[in-house]
Amino acid sequence: HATTFGGNPLACAAGLQVAKAIDEENLLENVAARGEQLRTGLEEIQKKHPTWVKDVRGWGLITGLEISNDQGVTAGEVVGAAIKEGLLL
């Protein structure tokens, strides 16, 4: 089973409100648009830095870069530098 208390009236009411917001606020269309915006931006980075960025892959908002091992920098170092610049990864 998934949860002991998941079927209670409060949890059900909360779930219905979430489903209603997803539908009425066109959340899925916005997610699709932001995912395309993300992919486009990452592909531009790949074009500017083809020796650093091997690939852009994923779907929607679960999209990322594959960093080349040939440049002497790890993906962890790239993430650390991005965080220092205030980026949320």
Side-chain angles (χ1 to χ4, degrees):
H1 85 233
T3 178
T4 301
F5 303 108
N8 71 63
L10 177 61
C12 291
L16 286 171
Q17 289 302 310
V18 169
K20 184 178 176 182
I22 288 171
D23 182 49
E24 291 178 357
E25 297 176 21
N26 298 316
L27 184 67
L28 297 179
E29 290 86 0
N30 187 43
V31 167
R34 297 297 68 77
E36 185 58 36
Q37 182 182 19
L38 175 62
R39 177 171 289 281
T40 298
L42 293 176
E43 287 172 346
E44 289 176 15
I45 291 171
Q46 183 184 28
K47 287 177 187 173
K48 287 182 182 177
H49 307 284
T51 59
W52 288 81
V53 180
K54 285 177 67 173
D55 194 15
V56 175
R57 60 177 178 238
W59 53 272
L61 293 173
I62 307 173
T63 301
L65 300 174
E66 180 182 356
I67 304 297
S68 174
N69 292 330
D70 301 336
Q71 298 302 311
V73 65
T74 67
E77 291 169 324
V78 172
V79 169
I83 290 171
K84 284 181 182 177
E85 292 296 319
L87 296 175
L88 177 64
L89 302 177

